[in-house]
Amino acid sequence: MASSHLLCNHSLFFSSAFKNCGFSNTPPSKLQFQRTPFVKASKKQLEIVYDPDERLNKLADEVDKEAPFSRLTLFSPCKINVFLRITNKREDGYHDLASLFHTISLGDVIKFSLSPSKTKDRLSTNVSGVPLDDKNLIIKALNLYRKKTGSSNFFWVHLDKKVPTGAGLGGGSSNAATALWAANQFNGSVATEKELQQWSSEIGSDIPFFFSHGAAYCTGRGEFVQDISHPLPSDIPMVLIKPKEACSTAEVYKRLRLDQTSNVDPLTLLEKISRNGISQDVCINDLESPAFEVLPSLKRLKQRVTAAGRGQYDAVFMSGSGSTIVGVGSPDPPQFVYDDDDYREVFLSGKLQVV
């Protein structure tokens, strides 16, 4: 989510989404923080009640005075893989891929505030189950930024999570890119976006993509990012359906057999999409078969979406390593996800677009 092409004339992908989805650099209202102790009066005495947050509030005041701005609220979009070819297994244990990544209008909102602390970031979120320590890519990204630049800034961060986890949508990777970009803004943009992009690959293969313009042909482990002109019209609608169960990426790759993957040249797929737009035959994902072994119900879901949406969707495919099924070409989910009790707990998001 880190590209200044969208935000305040910077050239980072997520900036364009940011411009429409909530960038703020206004200092917090002084009315939000009570800087004085609470006073309680009685007939015989005036009691001063100690406010344990008062010292912290005074430190926050000093931070506000020194900083060019004290808050950033940023949109962190997720992505889909329009096609995903796995081309080779490397000696280091990773796989080479060739994929068309594209951001879409579903995303998280992350609020960053400078912290008076000089030793620790503080992360909160609106959903349970999300790690709040250095297992979270946001904290990893902030640690990485300080390591690379020597910055002494620490942050209060609140993650308003909309993108499901274990979905193949790159929500955590986008959050990390957003955190790197935000930290750099607070630090006077001492690093270039190219540097941020290169650094980001140290903590996640998908993160460099989120420093693109929003559509990119990604190779290597995903860290080699080639911006391309948006191959899909911005008004093309889509639907995401994710079952409650997640797919373990490690388990999916463990079951991958290269001799059973597609043999179509990914550059041919890219050229065909660029020329003719999206269609079922170009939306190849080599991770579908192993993901369907890990989660057989996911195969059934794709089959049902394809059958129910015959003529409704231009293409139905799995994103990333799962477990989200994407239907492109209609904003409306198939009726069975509302009627069938088996799908009562699915994550469902319609009326989405590419961004």
Side-chain angles (χ1 to χ4, degrees):
M1 166 48 287
S3 184
S4 47
H5 305 297
L6 316 175
L7 179 61
C8 297
N9 298 322
H10 299 300
S11 65
L12 200 67
F13 156 69
F14 39 59
S15 326
S16 68
F18 295 167
K19 198 157 48 173
N20 297 321
C21 299
F23 168 75
S24 170
N25 64 357
T26 56
S29 166
K30 297 301 180 186
L31 295 177
Q32 290 181 314
F33 302 104
Q34 296 299 322
R35 306 300 191 189
T36 56
F38 171 68
V39 178
K40 183 170 69 176
S42 68
K43 289 182 180 180
K44 295 184 178 180
Q45 64 181 2
L46 185 68
E47 178 185 357
I48 304 299
V49 180
Y50 175 65
D51 178 359
D53 292 329
E54 179 60 20
R55 180 174 175 276
L56 200 59
N57 286 337
K58 287 179 179 178
L59 289 172
D61 276 341
E62 295 304 312
V63 169
D64 288 351
K65 288 177 184 177
E66 299 298 323
F69 51 84
S70 58
R71 291 189 302 173
L72 281 176
T73 298
L74 302 177
F75 179 66
S76 179
C78 67
K79 58 81 180 172
I80 57 172
N81 299 86
V82 181
F83 65 79
L84 175 54
R85 288 288 337 281
I86 305 299
T87 56
N88 183 45
K89 184 168 184 179
R90 299 149 46 126
E91 292 183 359
D92 60 8
Y94 289 99
H95 288 78
D96 284 319
L97 60 82
S99 179
L100 173 56
F101 284 56
H102 211 306
T103 51
I104 62 174
S105 55
L106 175 67
D108 303 325
V109 174
I110 313 179
K111 297 179 181 180
F112 298 88
S113 299
L114 279 172
S115 169
S117 170
K118 295 300 180 184
T119 59
K120 189 175 182 181
D121 300 299
R122 188 176 71 185
L123 174 63
S124 60
T125 185
N126 63 317
V127 297
S128 61
V130 174
L132 302 179
D133 55 12
D134 58 7
K135 294 185 181 67
N136 192 293
L137 281 171
I138 292 175
I139 303 299
K140 286 185 178 181
L142 296 176
N143 287 336
L144 177 67
Y145 185 82
R146 284 186 289 265
K147 174 185 172 183
K148 295 293 187 179
T149 64
S151 170
S152 60
N153 288 335
F154 286 80
F155 300 91
W156 289 332
V157 184
H158 180 73
L159 171 62
D160 186 6
K161 196 75 181 150
K162 306 294 184 186
V163 180
T165 58
L169 298 173
S173 295
S174 176
N175 294 167
T178 305
L180 279 172
W181 193 87
N184 198 42
Q185 295 302 301
F186 280 101
N187 207 41
S189 299
V190 297
T192 66
E193 287 167 17
K194 190 66 177 176
E195 288 174 320
L196 296 177
Q197 186 179 51
Q198 291 171 345
W199 298 344
S200 71
S201 66
E202 296 183 20
I203 56 174
S205 300
D206 287 351
I207 302 173
F209 161 71
F210 289 97
F211 289 90
S212 74
H213 295 190
Y217 180 63
C218 299
T219 53
R221 291 183 293 112
E223 78 274 27
F224 298 116
V225 179
Q226 178 185 343
D227 282 298
I228 62 172
S229 297
H230 284 224
L232 306 178
S234 61
D235 60 349
I236 190 169
M238 68 183 66
V239 170
L240 304 182
I241 306 172
K242 180 199 173 293
K244 183 179 180 181
E245 300 83 7
C247 274
S248 162
T249 299
E251 189 64 30
V252 170
Y253 272 101
K254 186 186 298 184
R255 296 179 184 237
L256 174 69
R257 292 184 54 182
L258 288 174
D259 60 351
Q260 295 180 354
T261 60
S262 170
N263 59 7
V264 178
D265 185 342
L267 289 175
T268 299
L269 297 174
L270 183 63
E271 190 275 332
K272 191 170 183 179
I273 290 173
S274 299
R275 185 180 66 245
N276 301 326
I278 199 165
S279 58
Q280 189 65 56
D281 63 315
V282 296
C283 294
I284 294 170
N285 185 341
D286 286 336
L287 296 181
E288 278 194 3
S289 291
F292 293 163
E293 289 182 25
V294 173
L295 195 61
S297 61
L298 189 60
K299 180 177 182 179
R300 176 65 177 154
L301 175 60
K302 182 190 175 185
Q303 290 172 335
R304 291 197 65 176
V305 173
T306 302
R310 197 170 300 282
Q312 179 179 355
Y313 303 113
D314 299 320
V316 176
F317 55 91
M318 187 185 80
S319 182
S321 58
S323 58
T324 298
I325 299 298
V326 183
V328 177
S330 171
D332 301 316
Q335 187 61 39
F336 76 84
V337 297
Y338 299 108
D339 298 338
D340 194 324
D341 287 345
D342 290 343
Y343 299 100
R344 184 172 296 172
E345 296 186 11
V346 299
F347 169 84
L348 186 63
S349 186
K351 303 186 186 306
L352 296 172
Q353 296 175 323
V354 296
V355 295

